[in-house]
Amino acid sequence: MSAELSDLYQNVILDHNRRPRNRGRIPSANRSAHGDNPSCGDQCDVFLRLDGDRIAEISFEGSGCAISQASASLMTTQLKGKTAAEAEKLYGQFHEIVTTGKEPEDMSDLGAFAGVHAFPARIKCATLSWHAALNALRGDPVPATTESHLD
Ligand code: ZN
């Protein structure tokens, strides 16, 4: 692994890879969406239970590169308990982090993905699960794909 890549794979990312959070299908999920990142081969399904406007439970299943899987795991920990509007806002922050490399002022774990901005091809890996989660929230039956206007 090159020095640059090891910078990219910071501890938070490695930890989420080793011990993915909220992995597996939620039996009571009332929304789900699939995401596909063909340029890297990443797949991600997001399941969530919406209680009113709030994400009561959220989980993912997927396969692919370390960035995509760690991002999915971290995404579930960040979105649980959030409203749809809060989730959209959080994704906006995450998107800014991975595209500009600017770390969040609140030292959120999302900052672990700041290094991704130096590897433009990996931005799609990092945002895949978020697209799927937002599509699930919107109740959009169309599968999320990174090969569109979404990113
Ligand atoms: Zn990937």
Side-chain angles (χ1 to χ4, degrees), residues 70-93:
S71 178
S73 172
L74 180 62
M75 178 276 294
T76 63
T77 66
Q78 297 281 320
L79 292 191
K80 187 172 182 185
K82 299 288 194 299
T83 65
E86 287 166 346
E88 300 263 1
K89 194 174 162 210
L90 209 53
Y91 172 65
Q93 290 173 0

Side-chain angles (χ1 to χ4, degrees), residues 37 39-42 63-69 121-122 124-126 128:
N37 177 22
S39 63
C40 180
D42 309 320
S63 60
C65 70
I67 295 291
S68 68
Q69 301 305 298
R122 312 307 294 278
K124 290 175 176 180
C125 304
L128 175 67

